[in-house]
Amino acid sequence: QVQLQESGPGLVKPSETLSLTCTVSSGSISPYYWSWIRQPPGKGLEWIGYIYHSGSTNYNPSLKSRVTISVDTSNNQFSLKLTSVNAADTAVYYCARAIYFDYWGQGILVTVSS
Amino acid sequence: DIQLTQSPSFLSASVGDRVTITCRASQGISSYLAWYQQKPGKAPNLLIYAASTLQRGTPSRFSGGGSGTEFTLTISRLQPEDFATYYCQQHYSYPLTFGGGTKVEIK
């Protein structure tokens, strides 16, 4: 059973960079797509982007100018960086496998506040 | 972007009821649609992909149908553990998008 676990700071200051890592266990990063998805409190789901195990990426145009997703296959991890955050970026951030999402992490609440 | 519109957004039902949720796409997406169940404080759980294929472990009381622009999720006999929020998601084109959700509550 593939397991995903998000890690990173739960509080980020406005204008700074949000950085999260997803560790994949009981399975390999290859040969799958890996996505980041977020959910503001009490609201719906928004796909942020994916990375393929080879390193190719695809981002949501609504966030593309601020997002970088990278992969570390040797450690079975992939990461999210979101720059210039503001209060609207406060959300639970999930990592998930593929482009319809069969495995999810438990989610991590990231609050943007000074 | 492909917009997904779910209806209703809120549904009140009783245990044993048959429930149907609709998801409409702003343009044709063939059968590239998935359904998820989300309970409070938990990650979504994949129920159905490719419009009608049950994910391993999904109870058979769940079924999905449709193609093109109109899709349905049906729960044949609602169980207590089915009270949750349901989302559709298209995986036909990028950016991947979700419907706004349907909250199923106990009548």
Side-chain angles (χ1 to χ4, degrees), chain A:
Chain A
Q1 175 85 346
V2 176
Q3 295 183 324
L4 290 78
Q5 178 70 58
E6 303 90 351
S7 59
L11 180 64
V12 182
K13 291 182 168 55
S15 79
E16 296 190 345
T17 296
L18 179 159
S19 296
L20 297 175
T21 295
C22 182
T23 301
V24 179
S25 56
S26 302
S28 176
I29 282 268
S30 305
Y32 297 101
Y33 293 88
W34 301 91
S35 283
W36 287 97
I37 296 153
R38 69 180 183 177
Q39 185 171 36
K43 296 188 177 180
L45 298 157
E46 179 181 32
W47 176 73
I48 298 169
Y50 76 58
I51 190 162
Y52 192 47
H53 69 100
S54 63
S56 63
T57 55
N58 191 326
Y59 301 137
N60 193 322
S62 68
L63 297 167
K64 187 174 183 176
S65 63
R66 299 193 291 133
V67 170
T68 302
I69 299 176
S70 57
V71 66
D72 178 356
T73 53
S74 61
N75 286 308
N76 249 25
Q77 294 178 328
F78 62 105
S79 298
L80 169 71
K81 289 191 188 299
L82 182 66
T83 62
S84 304
V85 298
N86 57 61
D89 295 312
T90 293
V92 175
Y93 285 76
Y94 295 101
C95 56
R97 190 176 81 168
I99 57 173
Y100 61 82
F101 311 108
D102 55 355
Y103 292 100
W104 294 67
Q106 64 185 25
I108 182 168
L109 174 63
V110 179
T111 301
V112 178
S113 176
S114 55

Side-chain angles (χ1 to χ4, degrees), chain B residues 13-19 37 39 59 61-62 75-84 86 104 106:
Chain B
S14 302
V15 172
D17 283 354
R18 181 182 180 88
V19 165
Q37 177 192 71
K39 296 183 178 179
R61 63 182 179 274
F62 289 90
I75 311 171
S76 60
R77 293 184 61 178
L78 206 60
Q79 298 300 299
E81 60 269 29
D82 300 336
F83 292 95
Y86 294 85
V104 178
I106 301 173

Side-chain angles (χ1 to χ4, degrees), chain B:
Chain B
D1 298 9
I2 295 175
Q3 311 299 322
L4 297 179
T5 303
Q6 286 184 236
S7 59
S9 54
F10 177 85
L11 188 161
S12 181
S14 302
V15 172
D17 283 354
R18 181 182 180 88
V19 165
T20 297
I21 299 167
T22 298
C23 178
R24 289 187 174 88
S26 59
Q27 62 188 79
I29 59 171
S30 185
S31 295
Y32 293 92
L33 191 95
W35 289 97
Y36 301 85
Q37 177 192 71
Q38 186 179 33
K39 296 183 178 179
K42 300 294 188 182
N45 177 53
L46 176 66
L47 297 174
I48 288 170
Y49 61 94
S52 60
T53 302
L54 264 61
Q55 172 69 354
R56 187 173 56 250
T58 299
S60 58
R61 63 182 179 274
F62 289 90
S63 63
S67 66
T69 61
E70 186 151 336
F71 301 85
T72 57
L73 172 69
T74 298
I75 311 171
S76 60
R77 293 184 61 178
L78 206 60
Q79 298 300 299
E81 60 269 29
D82 300 336
F83 292 95
T85 300
Y86 294 85
Y87 293 94
C88 57
Q89 178 240 329
Q90 62 85 17
H91 49 101
Y92 176 79
S93 71
Y94 297 100
L96 305 177
T97 51
F98 292 86
T102 296
K103 187 172 185 179
V104 178
E105 288 202 342
I106 301 173
K107 184 181 285 184

